[in-house]
Amino acid sequence: MSPQNHVIASTVVSGAFYAATHSWEGTVGCFLSGIFIDIDHHFDLWIYKRKPLWSLKDLYHFCDVEKGGKLHLVFHSYELLLILWVCLVVFKMDLLWWGIAVGMTVHILFDQFTNSLKPLVYFLSYRMRHGFSKQCVFPEEKYRTLIQGRDDLYV
Ligand SMILES: [Zn+2]
């Protein structure tokens, strides 16, 4: 799902969260987590290129065009969500954390149902079992269209 659509979805969901809880902290947590868990894409790009890059063009190229690198995507994980939701209930955490959990959950569900990727890709254990390769993320016909990277694209 595009960043713009995540902003729209997060706005709607955090508005509903505020209506239900009247918690500004939780609402802000919901809004920000619903957008910024995508920062893990940047972490993977930084690991691959060994330097911080903030360009959305570079990020798009790395994620959707280039064959090289790995997709760890540490925040895009149903296992992490499960741990978070269990902690919310067991430790009776405050509304800030409930907002963060709602934002992250909605983000991952939208990614799951709008991105054309292999169905198990949002399980960290699945990606780990396949070495975080892009081949385990993209359907075979998409993976075949990815190209070898060129360093001159990252300037
Ligand atoms: Zn995402």
Side-chain angles (χ1 to χ4, degrees), residues 1 6 37-38 40-41 76 107-108 111 115 122:
M1 192 160 147
H6 278 304
I37 70 166
D38 274 340
D40 58 8
H41 291 283
H76 289 72
H107 180 112
I108 292 175
D111 276 354
N115 291 336
Y122 293 101

mmCIF file of all heavy atoms in Angstrom, residues 1 6 37-38 40-41 76 107-108 111 115 122, ligand 1:
data_model
loop_
_atom_site.group_PDB
_atom_site.id
_atom_site.type_symbol
_atom_site.label_atom_id
_atom_site.label_comp_id
_atom_site.label_asym_id
_atom_site.label_seq_id
_atom_site.Cartn_x
_atom_site.Cartn_y
_atom_site.Cartn_z
ATOM 1 N N MET A 1 0.850 -1.176 0.000
ATOM 2 C CA MET A 1 0.000 0.000 0.000
ATOM 3 C C MET A 1 0.894 1.236 0.000
ATOM 4 O O MET A 1 1.918 1.274 0.678
ATOM 5 C CB MET A 1 -0.900 -0.030 1.236
ATOM 6 C CG MET A 1 -2.011 0.971 1.214
ATOM 7 S SD MET A 1 -3.311 0.485 2.364
ATOM 8 C CE MET A 1 -3.864 2.067 2.892
ATOM 9 N N HIS A 6 -1.604 4.925 3.267
ATOM 10 C CA HIS A 6 -1.433 4.654 4.700
ATOM 11 C C HIS A 6 -1.784 5.886 5.528
ATOM 12 O O HIS A 6 -2.357 5.766 6.614
ATOM 13 C CB HIS A 6 0.003 4.200 5.007
ATOM 14 C CG HIS A 6 0.237 2.744 4.741
ATOM 15 N ND1 HIS A 6 -0.522 1.746 5.332
ATOM 16 C CD2 HIS A 6 1.143 2.116 3.961
ATOM 17 C CE1 HIS A 6 -0.085 0.565 4.921
ATOM 18 N NE2 HIS A 6 0.917 0.762 4.077
ATOM 19 N N ILE A 37 5.580 2.463 10.597
ATOM 20 C CA ILE A 37 6.237 1.147 10.678
ATOM 21 C C ILE A 37 6.928 0.829 9.356
ATOM 22 O O ILE A 37 7.785 -0.041 9.310
ATOM 23 C CB ILE A 37 5.292 0.002 11.115
ATOM 24 C CG1 ILE A 37 4.270 -0.342 10.058
ATOM 25 C CG2 ILE A 37 4.639 0.302 12.443
ATOM 26 C CD1 ILE A 37 3.571 -1.670 10.341
ATOM 27 N N ASP A 38 6.595 1.574 8.315
ATOM 28 C CA ASP A 38 7.295 1.385 7.041
ATOM 29 C C ASP A 38 8.754 1.819 7.105
ATOM 30 O O ASP A 38 9.495 1.612 6.143
ATOM 31 C CB ASP A 38 6.580 2.134 5.913
ATOM 32 C CG ASP A 38 5.461 1.309 5.294
ATOM 33 O OD1 ASP A 38 5.475 0.070 5.452
ATOM 34 O OD2 ASP A 38 4.578 1.903 4.651
ATOM 35 N N ASP A 40 10.933 0.366 8.517
ATOM 36 C CA ASP A 40 11.778 -0.832 8.416
ATOM 37 C C ASP A 40 12.240 -1.085 6.977
ATOM 38 O O ASP A 40 13.258 -1.741 6.761
ATOM 39 C CB ASP A 40 11.107 -2.063 9.046
ATOM 40 C CG ASP A 40 9.765 -2.406 8.445
ATOM 41 O OD1 ASP A 40 9.370 -1.805 7.424
ATOM 42 O OD2 ASP A 40 9.095 -3.293 9.018
ATOM 43 N N HIS A 41 11.531 -0.550 5.992
ATOM 44 C CA HIS A 41 12.022 -0.634 4.610
ATOM 45 C C HIS A 41 13.342 0.136 4.485
ATOM 46 O O HIS A 41 14.258 -0.302 3.785
ATOM 47 C CB HIS A 41 11.003 -0.040 3.628
ATOM 48 C CG HIS A 41 9.747 -0.833 3.488
ATOM 49 N ND1 HIS A 41 9.681 -1.993 2.752
ATOM 50 C CD2 HIS A 41 8.511 -0.624 3.985
ATOM 51 C CE1 HIS A 41 8.439 -2.463 2.797
ATOM 52 N NE2 HIS A 41 7.717 -1.651 3.551
ATOM 53 N N HIS A 76 6.914 -5.430 10.193
ATOM 54 C CA HIS A 76 5.813 -6.058 9.467
ATOM 55 C C HIS A 76 5.774 -7.531 9.852
ATOM 56 O O HIS A 76 6.266 -8.395 9.129
ATOM 57 C CB HIS A 76 6.003 -5.911 7.960
ATOM 58 C CG HIS A 76 5.802 -4.523 7.452
ATOM 59 N ND1 HIS A 76 6.699 -3.510 7.679
ATOM 60 C CD2 HIS A 76 4.778 -3.968 6.739
ATOM 61 C CE1 HIS A 76 6.249 -2.395 7.107
ATOM 62 N NE2 HIS A 76 5.089 -2.644 6.543
ATOM 63 N N HIS A 107 -2.253 -1.223 9.648
ATOM 64 C CA HIS A 107 -1.244 -1.066 8.597
ATOM 65 C C HIS A 107 -0.911 -2.418 7.954
ATOM 66 O O HIS A 107 -0.926 -2.560 6.733
ATOM 67 C CB HIS A 107 0.014 -0.428 9.189
ATOM 68 C CG HIS A 107 1.109 -0.224 8.185
ATOM 69 N ND1 HIS A 107 1.516 1.020 7.777
ATOM 70 C CD2 HIS A 107 1.885 -1.112 7.503
ATOM 71 C CE1 HIS A 107 2.478 0.895 6.888
ATOM 72 N NE2 HIS A 107 2.734 -0.400 6.706
ATOM 73 N N ILE A 108 -0.615 -3.400 8.794
ATOM 74 C CA ILE A 108 -0.207 -4.708 8.259
ATOM 75 C C ILE A 108 -1.366 -5.385 7.530
ATOM 76 O O ILE A 108 -1.173 -5.994 6.472
ATOM 77 C CB ILE A 108 0.369 -5.589 9.383
ATOM 78 C CG1 ILE A 108 1.702 -5.000 9.849
ATOM 79 C CG2 ILE A 108 0.548 -7.032 8.917
ATOM 80 C CD1 ILE A 108 2.327 -5.694 11.036
ATOM 81 N N ASP A 111 -1.627 -3.765 4.200
ATOM 82 C CA ASP A 111 -0.544 -4.275 3.348
ATOM 83 C C ASP A 111 -0.861 -5.687 2.869
ATOM 84 O O ASP A 111 -0.669 -6.018 1.691
ATOM 85 C CB ASP A 111 0.785 -4.298 4.120
ATOM 86 C CG ASP A 111 1.504 -2.960 4.107
ATOM 87 O OD1 ASP A 111 1.053 -2.021 3.416
ATOM 88 O OD2 ASP A 111 2.544 -2.854 4.798
ATOM 89 N N ASN A 115 -1.223 -5.435 -1.159
ATOM 90 C CA ASN A 115 0.024 -5.691 -1.864
ATOM 91 C C ASN A 115 -0.034 -7.078 -2.507
ATOM 92 O O ASN A 115 -0.467 -8.037 -1.876
ATOM 93 C CB ASN A 115 1.220 -5.620 -0.907
ATOM 94 C CG ASN A 115 1.471 -4.204 -0.415
ATOM 95 O OD1 ASN A 115 1.092 -3.234 -1.063
ATOM 96 N ND2 ASN A 115 2.104 -4.079 0.740
ATOM 97 N N TYR A 122 3.922 -11.778 5.623
ATOM 98 C CA TYR A 122 3.898 -10.930 6.822
ATOM 99 C C TYR A 122 4.142 -11.713 8.111
ATOM 100 O O TYR A 122 4.017 -11.162 9.197
ATOM 101 C CB TYR A 122 2.607 -10.106 6.884
ATOM 102 C CG TYR A 122 2.592 -9.091 5.756
ATOM 103 C CD1 TYR A 122 1.857 -9.311 4.607
ATOM 104 C CD2 TYR A 122 3.399 -7.963 5.821
ATOM 105 C CE1 TYR A 122 1.899 -8.412 3.547
ATOM 106 C CE2 TYR A 122 3.452 -7.058 4.777
ATOM 107 C CZ TYR A 122 2.701 -7.287 3.644
ATOM 108 O OH TYR A 122 2.761 -6.399 2.598
HETATM 109 ZN ZN ZN B 1 3.916 -1.412 5.255
#
